[in-house]
Each structure stands twice: as structure tokens, then as C-alpha cells.
Amino acid sequence: MEHVLREIASQPECWRRALELGAASPAGLPEAGERVAVIGCGTSLYMAQSYAVLRERSGQGETDAFAASELPARRYDRLVAITRSGTTTEVLHALGAAARTDPGISTVVITADPATPVSGLAETVIALEFADERSVVQTRFATSGLALLRAHLGEAPADLAAQAEAALAAPLPEGALSRRQFTFLGSGWTNGLAQEAALKLRESALAWAEAYPAMEYRHGPISIADGNSLVWFFGGPEELREELTRIGALTTAAELDPLADLVRAQRLAVELSRSRGLDPDSPRNLSRSVILR
Ligand code: F1P
């Protein structure tokens, strides 16, 4: 069995541990009222985006998410970095630059591997070693990190881990494997999930996969949709789904919590990869951590 499939299947257990940890408010996470920037790259960026929306929505304070390479020189009370590997160059640079330009800023990193350079650059380290992964393609570290952050906000459904179990058993959209174009739509905090689902399909299955805020999708990208498309709703209006059905696209929508539905999209990525004769553990042109020299 592929590592990624084993890691996908272990998410309910990982989420239980992450939810417990988040609810216990580990030191270093943002306090209510703070202005916060959250950074990451790739998957970790998309989790940062989802968290930023959730935190603002919960009334705990202004929260911006940035690709680590794009962190502006603004003043924040706290910088939260998310990195599975702890070695991603842009994350290390951003933490270093923030400490130099804004000595008053508090820094915290959420990582799967605390024995890495990132630990020397953040004041507080939250280690999710139990969610570390062998696969290049991230699944359980990312979702466990977001589960932890949601629990810390007091926003995680009590049965979230059970919903991950349901997502592992839920059917994939019938006919999905024969589609050639995949679009994931979100709204609010689920935009990050839509981006992450599309990334999974690109990394694991070299698939043509895109992601948009559902309402933005109407402003052009919808022209792509046809009988070869699967459009997956993590958020967005029912009328749009009906319109896409009329166009001939296959559609599916989250019946579970959207984070649990991401598990279903991860499974689709692996199935699609297999059906194309690829190895989902070894995406083309990608290493487990992007380290720039
Ligand atoms: C971020 C990342 C992943 C990507 C691949 C390479 O890593 O860009 O999103 O899927 O694994 O690294 P990290 O900073 O979270 O370790």
C-alpha cells in the first residue's frame, strides 16, 4: 500500500490527538485580540488561509495568511508558521526577516519535526510528530494542524474525527476517474480546502485541477466546464451546482464537515493517480521539502 494511503487512513486517529491538543490551548498560539499573520508554502499555506478566515470569523482578531515568500513588512503581534518539514527555505527566511524587522513580534511554528532549523527561529514550537509523514504529498499533517487550530478557536465539531472516518468510507463521485478536468470551489474558510484538494490532484495524479472561490468561478473560469469536468463544492450556492449539471459537468458537494470532505478528495487523488499508472507517493518534479540553495 502507498504511504500516502496509509497516512490518509490514519487521519481520524491523528485528528483526535490534534483536537485534544488544540483544546488544551498550547502555549504560543494566538491570543484573542492579537493581529496575526500566518505563513506557509503549498499545502501549509492553504491550511494557513483556512485558519485565517476562521479566526477572523470567530471574532478573535485580524488574521492574514501569506505565502511565506510574500510576507509583507507589516507589524503584527504574532507570526504563526506552518511547516511539516521545518526546512522549507521561504518559511525560514520569513521567520528570520520578521524577527529582524519587528523585534517585538511573537513567533510560533507548527511542525511535524521539531529537530529542524525552524525550531531555532520561532519562540514556541508546537510539534505534531504523531502526524509526520513519509509521503512527499502532505495529507495528515496538514489536516491535523488545521484540526488543532480549529479546536483552539473553539470551532471544531465534537465529532470531527468520526466525520473523517465517515469520509474514508464514503463513495467517491461515480464516474470521477474518467473525468479529465477537476475544479474545486470554496467560500470563506473552505477556499483553502479547495486549493488544497486541487493541489492533491496535481501532485499525485498530474491532473488538470483548479480551485476558485465559488462566486469568482462564475466570472470566466466556468467557460472551462463541460462533460469532461468534475466540479467539487466545498462551499458555494446550489444554483451554481444546478447550472453546472445543465452544462454536463459531474458535481459533488460536501455532506460532511468540509475538512472531512477533504479526506474524500485526497482519496480521489490517489485513485486517479493509480488509474493513470502513476505512483502517488512520488510526484513529478517535487521533493518532500523545497530547499533552495
Ligand atoms: C510545503 C510543501 C508541500 C508540498 C511538498 C513540498 O512543505 O511545499 O506543500 O506538498 O511536500 O513542500 P512544508 O513547509 O509544510 O514542509
Side-chain angles (χ1 to χ4, degrees), residues 51 57 80 83 92 98 111 124 131 149 151 191 193 260 268 282 293:
Y51 169 60
R57 197 181 76 176
V80 179
T83 171
L92 304 183
T111 184
T124 315
L149 290 165
N191 279 314
L193 304 183
L268 172 63
S282 307
R293 305 196 188 276

Side-chain angles (χ1 to χ4, degrees), residues 41-44 82-88 91 136-138 141 199-200 203 286-290:
C41 295
T43 293
S44 296
I82 304 176
T83 171
R84 175 181 69 177
S85 62
T87 54
T88 298
V91 175
V136 170
V137 174
Q138 287 202 35
F141 169 73
L199 183 68
K200 291 311 87 169
E203 288 179 336
L286 186 64
S287 48
R288 195 174 174 282
S289 171
V290 178

Side-chain angles (χ1 to χ4, degrees), residues 158-222:
D159 66 344
L160 191 59
Q163 292 201 51
E165 268 152 14
L168 287 170
L172 296 178
E174 207 180 323
L177 295 184
S178 59
R179 299 283 153 153
R180 289 204 293 277
Q181 194 277 319
F182 302 85
T183 297
F184 295 88
L185 302 179
S187 171
W189 77 280
T190 65
N191 279 314
L193 304 183
Q195 291 289 350
E196 169 60 2
L199 183 68
K200 291 311 87 169
L201 266 70
R202 289 193 290 267
E203 288 179 336
S204 310
L206 307 183
W208 175 14
E210 307 183 351
Y212 302 96
M215 298 308 283
E216 264 308 295
Y217 177 64
R218 290 189 139 128
H219 295 273
I222 195 168

Side-chain angles (χ1 to χ4, degrees), residues 69-238:
S69 55
E70 302 290 336
L71 179 65
R74 282 186 208 146
R75 288 194 66 84
Y76 286 98
D77 297 316
R78 190 174 302 263
L79 178 60
V80 179
I82 304 176
T83 171
R84 175 181 69 177
S85 62
T87 54
T88 298
T89 305
E90 297 95 313
V91 175
L92 304 183
H93 282 173
L95 277 164
R100 275 193 306 279
T101 56
D102 187 1
I105 197 168
S106 301
T107 52
V108 57
V109 62
I110 300 172
T111 184
D113 187 354
T116 53
V118 79
S119 294
L121 291 166
E123 284 164 358
T124 315
V125 179
I126 297 178
L128 305 186
E129 285 150 305
F130 60 83
D132 203 359
E133 296 167 300
R134 290 185 65 178
S135 178
V136 170
V137 174
Q138 287 202 35
T139 54
R140 72 180 185 190
F141 169 73
T143 58
S144 299
L146 187 55
L148 174 141
L149 290 165
R150 289 177 71 184
H152 181 250
L153 292 174
E155 193 281 334
D159 66 344
L160 191 59
Q163 292 201 51
E165 268 152 14
L168 287 170
L172 296 178
E174 207 180 323
L177 295 184
S178 59
R179 299 283 153 153
R180 289 204 293 277
Q181 194 277 319
F182 302 85
T183 297
F184 295 88
L185 302 179
S187 171
W189 77 280
T190 65
N191 279 314
L193 304 183
Q195 291 289 350
E196 169 60 2
L199 183 68
K200 291 311 87 169
L201 266 70
R202 289 193 290 267
E203 288 179 336
S204 310
L206 307 183
W208 175 14
E210 307 183 351
Y212 302 96
M215 298 308 283
E216 264 308 295
Y217 177 64
R218 290 189 139 128
H219 295 273
I222 195 168
S223 300
I224 294 296
D226 64 13
N228 287 315
S229 304
L230 166 63
V231 184
W232 189 304
F233 286 76
F234 285 101
E238 187 53 36

Side-chain angles (χ1 to χ4, degrees), residues 8 12 15 161-172 256-257 259-265 267:
I8 288 170
W15 291 12
Q163 292 201 51
E165 268 152 14
L168 287 170
L172 296 178
L256 297 163
D257 177 273
L259 184 59
D261 204 45
L262 177 59
V263 173
R264 211 164 55 102
R267 288 175 45 222

Side-chain angles (χ1 to χ4, degrees), residues 1-2 4-5 177 204-205 267-280:
M1 193 199 270
E2 295 90 347
V4 69
L5 209 54
L177 295 184
S204 310
R267 288 175 45 222
L268 172 63
V270 174
E271 287 303 315
L272 203 58
S273 172
R274 283 175 162 174
S275 76
R276 296 178 174 195
L278 300 167
D279 174 5

